[in-house]
Amino acid sequence: MKILVINGPNLNMLGKRDKEIYGDKTLAEIESLLKKQGKALAIEVITFQSNSEGALIDFIQEQSNSADGIIINPGALTHYGFSLRDALADSGLPIIEVHLSNIYAREEWRAKSVIAPVAKGNISGLGWRGYIAALRTLVAELKGEDV
């Protein structure tokens, strides 16, 4: 089983960005934790980050045929990334949307996600642990296990 973990704009700056909102872990640390969890679940975790919507779409189109599911933190593209949304929908894969901060407790414009309608679920506000929860949940569902 292969799960794609995709991170959008500015997430490469984790560990340097506002730590009160985004925590102090770097993206590399989060990816390492995800790969360790993937190994424990006997699955492959492929990570990708880009500040470019086009690169994210290219990655999804190139990788989705050999993947079983997607975990995505679209960053600011959450609110206006319609072409990213379409690529995710076209993948035909189950998707879990993840946000480090609680997007519903922040500015009003952050509470609207164009990705949510094509996602199986959304995890928001649990920091880096949200990625682990998404991975465990997605794998369990793909294996037909109780979540």
Side-chain angles (χ1 to χ4, degrees):
M1 183 178 303
K2 181 163 97 172
I3 303 297
L4 307 177
V5 179
I6 303 169
N7 285 283
N10 297 316
L11 291 162
N12 58 309
M13 298 301 293
L14 292 177
K16 296 178 184 174
R17 292 184 80 185
D18 188 338
K19 293 177 184 181
E20 298 250 341
I21 294 174
Y22 301 107
D24 59 1
K25 288 205 183 309
T26 66
L27 184 57
E29 290 171 325
I30 294 169
E31 289 174 343
S32 176
L33 290 166
L34 281 163
K35 289 182 181 198
K36 182 178 178 182
Q37 183 66 52
K39 189 176 277 190
L41 295 168
I43 60 125
E44 182 180 11
V45 174
I46 306 296
T47 60
F48 182 76
Q49 187 279 328
S50 180
N51 293 321
S52 165
E53 186 172 8
L56 296 169
I57 292 166
D58 289 343
F59 179 79
I60 292 165
Q61 291 174 351
E62 291 164 3
Q63 296 291 321
S64 62
N65 287 338
S66 64
D68 299 288
I70 297 174
I71 295 168
I72 185 163
N73 182 340
L77 294 171
T78 300
H79 320 294
Y80 61 86
F82 292 102
S83 58
L84 177 60
R85 177 207 183 278
D86 289 348
L88 288 164
D90 290 346
S91 77
L93 296 172
I95 298 157
I96 297 182
E97 181 180 359
V98 174
H99 296 281
L100 294 162
S101 69
N102 181 351
I103 62 173
Y104 306 103
R106 295 182 65 193
E107 300 91 343
E108 184 178 333
W109 60 269
R110 290 188 192 270
K112 172 69 174 152
S113 169
V114 301
I115 306 300
V118 300
K120 182 168 190 59
N122 179 302
I123 298 174
S124 177
L126 299 180
W128 65 268
R129 290 174 181 86
Y131 286 92
I132 302 298
L135 183 63
R136 288 180 181 162
T137 301
L138 188 54
V139 169
E141 288 204 4
L142 288 166
K143 289 181 175 180
E145 299 171 354
D146 288 334
V147 179

